[in-house]
Amino acid sequence: MVQHFRTAYHIKTHEVHLFQDFNRWPDEPFEEMDGTLAVQQYIQQQIRKDPSNIDVILTPPDSQDEGVWKYEHLRQFCMELNGLAVRLQYECHPETCTQMTATEQWIFLCAAHKAPKECPAIDYTRHTLDGAACLLNSNKYFPSRYPWSVCYRIFSHAHFHHTAIFDQFEAETHLCRRFTVFVMKYNLMSKDNIIVPILEENNENSTVSGTNQGESDA
Amino acid sequence: MISSQQINDFGVKLGNMIKQEVGNIQMKQTEDYRMDDNSSVNQNGQIGTNSNNNKSDDGGQRIQYSIPGILHFIQHEWARFEMERSQWEVDKAELNARIAFLQGERKGQENLKHDLIRRIKMLEYALKQERAKYHQLKYGTELQQGDMNPPTFDEPGVPEVNVDSEAPFTSVSNISWKQGRQILRQYLQEIGYTDTIIDVRSNRVRTLLGLNNNNNVTSDDQQQSSNMNGEDPTGKNKTFDVQGRKTPSKKFSETMIMETEEAVMANFEFLTSQNDVDLDEDEDDDDDMNEDLDDVTDMEDMRTTKRKPKNLVMSDTDDVDAEAEEVYNELNLLTATEDTNSHPPAGLDPAHWTGGVDRKKALGSEEEPLDSNLGLGELAQLTVNNEADTSYDQVEGTKEPYRKTWNAKYTLRSHFDPVRALAFHPAEPVLITASDDNTLKLWNLQKTVAAKKSASLDVEPLYTFRSHVGPVLSLAMSATGEQCYSGGADGKIRCWTIPAANIDPYDSYDPGVHSGCLEGHTDAVWGLTIHSQCLQLLSCSADGTVKLWSPAAQSPRPTLLKSYASEQGMYL
């Protein structure tokens, strides 16, 4: 069974530039990939080539089942969001971020508990990712619409409260942009909920993030 | 002193008195008695002349009971008592004979029991051998059976085996059968083992085996053999037995003995005259006999059983009488059993343990391979059934090494990418997995998160260790199960304090779980080993070094963890 190391390593902090060579295999055509992990392998290969080339990453191969495609991308998002969570752990403490908020307007309750709970942002992040990991790896409930907007809240919190981390992370992975394009492309989220001004830079002014934020929340 | 005249007078008187007495005393008298009476009267008359002369003169006529009459009565009574005494003695002898017979019978049955047990053991052993052979033929490998030793018989002091050490039975098969017959007869005498008992024994064997056919013949033969035994001077018990049975009403032991002798003689003549004619009958009998014995000893060989007696008779009739045939069979039995006792069976061939040497010759060796296949009958089925059981392990071991013998008990789904390493807790059913998705996960195999609707049958992770930036490649857990260390592709070794096994999966974040980071490697850490006692950590990395760490000193936060590294600069 041909099983390549499929993980793309695009996280390059200023400290560690170690795994440029990690998983640096020659590209393999999607047609030659086999097994159940072919789609994941293909997505990771595209990301590894150029994480910023979102259009390429999000373009499914021919005759690719859309459900599987979305599912595999969601898995990839959740996996890479772990990287954001790792960074948030250094800065996003329960004392400073007592609630999961992006803007002041909304407080998100953590749905991982039996009774939804007002978890600190870092816990919310972790719980969401843990729950998503279980859900996405479950062979019973798949695919589900549930994780999209919830996962997106991690981006929004990071963007509005830990901007430096978010920016650095986004510069490396372009994950939030990819995510946004993805959900909009497949109409997985209401446009009103997309509050991180990441696509506006192309479409509108690059300085409207503050006002835009209020608008989208409203 | 006493003149002849006086004597004559006394004799006349005595004659008269006797006549009177005959009239006075009423008795049943046989002629035999009268003879005795006359003689005894003469004796008493002489005694009377010595002691009772005067009295008989004086009171002879007056008293109704005269002295001679009394004397006569006493004599008669004495004779009667004598007769009764002899009768009692005869009875006593009869009873003694009976006791001896019963004791002999009991002994015979005990011997029979031991023999049967021995044969059962032999059969079991032979069955095992057959199984082994069959298995070897079928699978070409040795069958591993529990007990492949030839059966050992614990003899409870049975005289059969302890008999005369100077004539060991192990060598009997090598002696000619005549000698064997002698020895057998000797030993039968020693234990009071009459032919009747042999018959009882063979009958018992028959009934045990459910072979009740030819019962009439058997009883006839019994009678015959008991008669034949009569000629045997050593068969005293038997003689008494015959006498007791046939002449219970005879009064006199002399006549009884005479008559017995006559009967014995008559039987003897009858036998000698009939010997030739008997042979046919005896052949039948031997057929039965052989069937008994063979059924007991070699059940697997029905075909040769049919043939065997013929062979035996044909080869032996020349110099063997019918009785010897029986004894010979018995002897064969003994030698057969003794053979198996003494020799650990060299081969697997059934003829070796079933029959003596003679029998093997008679059979011919070319029949042996067929034997085991043909005659087993129900036993064969038994073997097949057992074969399935016994060969199970074997088959599992050799034939189907790739047969799936496991079932998935848990599925640990939660990683997004390949799992690189896992480490088990030393005591609890807890393990940690490390994955390419940059995380490690803690699992408790006893605590499946049932409440979670998404994975009812799966184990869900209790905790996700997030700190690595990049794949986690190696993992080591301390001997206490409290710490674990993970090496990543980022060249860092993360130190973790393992949360309790009953932690809430959605508990709030505890930064203390990530208890340190060992920085020093400049490339992926591919291997980690922990020292079980002094808590030192050895890591090997793609940067070409192996480093020894002492992660025990833990500073509050991992960024500036002080660690001891002994860089050896080893190149991989």
Side-chain angles (χ1 to χ4, degrees):
Chain A
M1 183 116 97
V2 180
Q3 189 58 58
H4 293 282
F5 298 105
R6 303 173 315 270
T7 313
Y9 281 104
H10 31 267
I11 302 173
K12 296 172 198 157
T13 67
H14 58 281
E15 319 169 282
V16 184
H17 299 275
L18 291 177
F19 21 83
Q20 293 130 333
D21 294 336
F22 205 83
N23 287 345
R24 191 131 308 209
W25 322 100
D27 281 354
E28 189 179 12
F30 180 70
E31 295 74 31
E32 291 179 16
M33 298 177 182
D34 54 355
T36 54
L37 299 170
V39 178
Q40 184 182 8
Q41 189 179 344
Y42 178 75
I43 292 171
Q44 291 181 352
Q45 178 176 289
Q46 302 301 83
I47 294 168
R48 196 166 56 233
K49 256 195 290 189
D50 183 4
S52 65
N53 194 348
I54 290 167
D55 287 342
V56 169
I57 294 169
L58 294 185
T59 303
D62 293 340
S63 72
Q64 173 61 48
D65 177 75
E66 200 176 289
V68 174
W69 182 250
K70 286 185 222 170
Y71 169 73
E72 290 297 341
H73 266 289
L74 181 56
R75 284 175 57 96
Q76 192 66 31
F77 286 129
C78 289
M79 184 166 76
E80 294 187 38
L81 269 171
N82 275 318
L84 182 58
V86 166
R87 296 171 197 228
L88 287 177
Q89 277 174 175
Y90 293 102
E91 187 182 299
C92 178
H93 302 305
E95 299 83 34
T96 56
C97 302
T98 56
Q99 295 166 329
M100 186 60 175
T101 57
T103 62
E104 302 303 319
Q105 198 164 353
W106 295 96
I107 297 173
F108 299 114
L109 298 182
C110 182
H113 311 275
K114 282 172 187 169
K117 205 167 142 188
E118 202 175 303
C119 281
I122 187 65
D123 290 339
Y124 186 98
T125 302
R126 292 174 55 89
H127 297 167
T128 299
L129 289 177
D130 288 348
C134 289
L135 198 65
L136 289 171
N137 284 290
S138 156
N139 49 356
K140 282 173 78 179
Y141 300 94
F142 146 76
S144 162
R145 294 179 64 87
Y146 150 71
W148 297 103
S149 56
V150 180
C151 289
Y152 185 76
R153 286 170 199 156
I154 299 167
F155 288 118
S156 52
H157 174 79
H159 176 262
F160 292 113
H161 293 272
H162 310 281
T163 312
I165 287 178
F166 177 84
D167 287 348
Q168 188 189 15
F169 185 74
E170 185 61 22
E172 291 164 9
T173 65
H174 311 279
L175 190 66
C176 183
R177 196 153 69 89
R178 195 205 314 163
F179 190 94
T180 309
V181 171
F182 185 81
V183 296
M184 288 179 68
K185 179 177 179 182
Y186 292 104
N187 197 22
L188 296 168
M189 279 175 66
S190 150
K191 249 186 176 177
D192 294 342
N193 289 336
I194 298 170
I195 56 176
V196 177
I198 208 155
L199 303 174
E200 277 92 355
E201 291 164 7
N202 301 328
N203 302 333
E204 301 170 14
N205 305 326
S206 58
T207 57
V208 292
S209 62
T211 55
N212 205 20
Q213 164 190 346
E215 285 167 10
S216 61
D217 280 346
Chain B
M1 291 284 290
I2 300 170
S3 66
S4 60
Q5 181 63 42
Q6 278 177 321
I7 293 170
N8 285 336
D9 288 343
F10 181 74
V12 171
K13 282 181 188 173
L14 205 58
N16 292 333
M17 278 162 56
I18 287 166
K19 283 172 186 168
Q20 283 173 352
E21 276 304 315
V22 168
N24 287 339
I25 301 167
Q26 295 182 347
M27 285 186 62
K28 303 182 188 100
Q29 289 183 344
T30 64
E31 290 179 1
D32 296 329
Y33 292 160
R34 209 169 293 144
M35 277 291 292
D36 283 343
D37 281 352
N38 286 337
S39 63
S40 59
V41 163
N42 284 335
Q43 287 172 355
N44 287 328
Q46 284 170 351
I47 294 165
T49 50
N50 293 331
S51 56
N52 300 327
N53 206 2
N54 295 327
K55 284 179 185 174
S56 60
D57 281 342
D58 294 336
Q61 299 295 328
R62 289 181 285 131
I63 307 164
Q64 199 177 1
Y65 298 106
S66 63
I67 295 272
I70 291 167
L71 285 174
H72 177 79
F73 179 69
I74 287 167
Q75 281 168 359
H76 173 72
E77 283 297 301
W78 180 78
R80 203 162 61 89
F81 280 130
E82 277 288 300
M83 202 179 62
E84 276 176 0
R85 203 186 64 173
S86 64
Q87 184 68 43
W88 289 337
E89 274 172 359
V90 167
D91 286 348
K92 190 181 154 196
E94 272 179 32
L95 290 176
N96 277 336
R98 190 83 191 144
I99 287 167
F101 173 76
L102 289 175
Q103 279 175 344
E105 198 177 40
R106 185 166 163 269
K107 252 182 210 169
Q109 281 175 353
E110 272 174 7
N111 291 340
L112 175 71
K113 193 190 84 182
H114 293 310
D115 266 8
L116 287 178
I117 288 170
R118 230 192 306 188
R119 274 166 225 169
I120 285 168
K121 283 181 182 174
M122 280 161 50
L123 279 175
E124 282 172 354
Y125 175 65
L127 195 64
K128 273 184 192 167
Q129 297 277 33
E130 278 301 312
R131 256 181 231 158
K133 199 163 68 173
Y134 175 70
H135 192 274
Q136 193 160 18
L137 286 175
K138 193 173 177 186
Y139 299 108
T141 52
E142 289 291 336
L143 176 63
Q144 300 297 325
Q145 284 192 112
D147 180 23
M148 279 301 285
N149 295 325
T152 54
F153 308 112
D154 42 344
E155 290 294 340
V158 181
E160 271 181 82
V161 174
N162 296 335
V163 161
D164 306 329
S165 54
E166 76 266 15
F169 273 86
T170 52
S171 59
V172 161
S173 56
N174 299 327
I175 312 172
S176 75
W177 67 267
K178 274 185 183 176
Q179 282 171 300
R181 179 181 157 207
Q182 283 298 324
I183 292 166
L184 180 67
R185 188 170 295 210
Q186 235 177 346
Y187 118 77
L188 286 179
Q189 285 169 23
E190 274 180 24
I191 62 167
Y193 202 80
T194 65
D195 280 353
T196 315
I197 290 161
I198 296 177
D199 285 333
V200 165
R201 184 170 146 175
S202 64
N203 262 336
R204 190 56 63 96
V205 173
R206 241 169 283 211
T207 47
L208 275 177
L209 293 171
L211 296 174
N212 286 324
N213 52 348
N214 300 329
N215 260 345
N216 297 329
V217 176
T218 326
S219 56
D220 284 345
D221 291 334
Q222 250 182 318
Q223 191 66 36
Q224 237 175 27
S225 63
S226 64
N227 285 340
M228 289 190 303
N229 197 47
E231 74 179 317
D232 192 347
T234 58
K236 281 170 191 166
N237 292 341
K238 194 67 201 175
T239 317
F240 272 113
D241 197 28
V242 169
Q243 158 193 327
R245 254 190 284 168
K246 290 189 172 175
T247 62
S249 56
K250 298 279 183 183
K251 299 290 180 183
F252 294 103
S253 55
E254 289 99 340
T255 39
M256 284 195 295
I257 292 166
M258 280 297 290
E259 236 175 350
T260 313
E261 277 176 3
E262 273 176 14
V264 166
M265 287 310 288
N267 269 329
F268 186 57
E269 282 170 10
F270 167 75
L271 263 182
T272 46
S273 65
Q274 213 191 12
N275 229 354
D276 293 337
V277 189
D278 263 348
L279 265 179
D280 288 346
E281 248 185 17
D282 277 324
E283 199 173 297
D284 288 347
D285 177 38
D286 286 340
D287 245 326
D288 293 342
M289 214 39 182
N290 266 330
E291 241 157 29
D292 293 347
L293 305 179
D294 291 340
D295 275 336
V296 173
T297 51
D298 50 357
M299 275 181 165
E300 59 175 352
D301 190 356
M302 300 291 272
R303 209 173 58 113
T304 44
T305 310
K306 294 280 191 281
R307 186 176 299 186
K308 214 174 294 172
K310 300 284 192 305
N311 286 340
L312 284 177
V313 172
M314 292 304 280
S315 59
D316 293 338
T317 17
D318 297 336
D319 43 3
V320 184
D321 58 4
E323 181 199 11
E325 193 84 38
E326 242 175 39
V327 177
Y328 172 58
N329 287 329
E330 196 64 33
L331 180 66
N332 260 350
L333 247 177
L334 281 174
T335 51
T337 53
E338 291 298 332
D339 261 354
T340 27
N341 271 350
S342 54
H343 309 301
L348 300 180
D349 73 1
H352 186 78
W353 55 270
T354 47
V357 174
D358 293 335
R359 200 175 282 194
K360 242 203 287 191
K361 279 180 198 162
L363 285 180
S365 56
E366 80 279 356
E367 289 178 10
E368 286 169 15
L370 291 172
D371 293 345
S372 50
N373 294 333
L374 285 177
L376 270 174
E378 286 187 358
L379 269 179
Q381 285 177 353
L382 249 181
T383 314
V384 169
N385 287 340
N386 288 342
E387 191 74 45
D389 291 338
T390 49
S391 64
Y392 178 75
D393 293 338
Q394 192 70 21
V395 166
E396 196 180 37
T398 59
K399 292 287 175 185
E400 302 177 27
Y402 302 117
R403 208 185 67 177
K404 189 186 175 189
T405 55
W406 64 91
N407 286 312
K409 202 169 180 183
Y410 308 107
T411 312
L412 314 185
R413 308 171 193 269
S414 202
H415 280 298
F416 286 116
D417 239 7
V419 176
R420 292 276 189 181
L422 63 82
F424 278 91
H425 193 278
E428 295 175 66
V430 166
L431 74 154
I432 296 175
T433 54
S435 167
D436 267 4
D437 67 6
N438 301 10
T439 64
L440 298 97
K441 285 179 192 286
L442 174 74
W443 314 77
N444 184 347
L445 295 179
Q446 282 185 337
K447 193 181 175 188
T448 53
V449 188
K452 199 69 180 152
K453 58 180 179 180
S454 57
S456 57
L457 294 175
D458 295 345
V459 183
E460 285 191 8
L462 283 181
Y463 189 84
T464 304
F465 301 89
R466 289 185 180 88
S467 193
H468 279 283
V469 181
V472 190
L473 303 175
S474 53
L475 182 62
M477 195 182 291
S478 71
T480 59
E482 291 169 354
Q483 272 87 35
C484 76
Y485 306 91
S486 58
D490 55 1
K492 288 177 183 168
I493 298 164
R494 304 278 172 178
C495 308
W496 309 93
T497 303
I498 300 173
N502 54 1
I503 189 178
D504 178 5
Y506 296 102
D507 207 349
S508 54
Y509 174 59
D510 176 14
V513 170
H514 182 213
S515 55
C517 180
L518 308 177
E519 296 184 66
H521 283 297
T522 57
D523 209 338
V525 179
W526 284 98
L528 280 176
T529 309
I530 200 162
H531 195 288
S532 56
Q533 279 142 22
C534 57
L535 197 64
Q536 285 179 330
L537 194 67
L538 204 61
S539 65
C540 64
S541 164
D543 65 4
T545 64
V546 172
K547 293 187 195 297
L548 184 66
W549 311 85
S550 177
Q554 292 167 358
S555 40
R557 288 294 282 178
T559 44
L560 289 173
L561 178 74
K562 190 68 180 170
S563 64
Y564 303 95
S566 72
E567 296 198 33
Q568 308 274 333
M570 298 174 98
Y571 292 93
L572 300 176

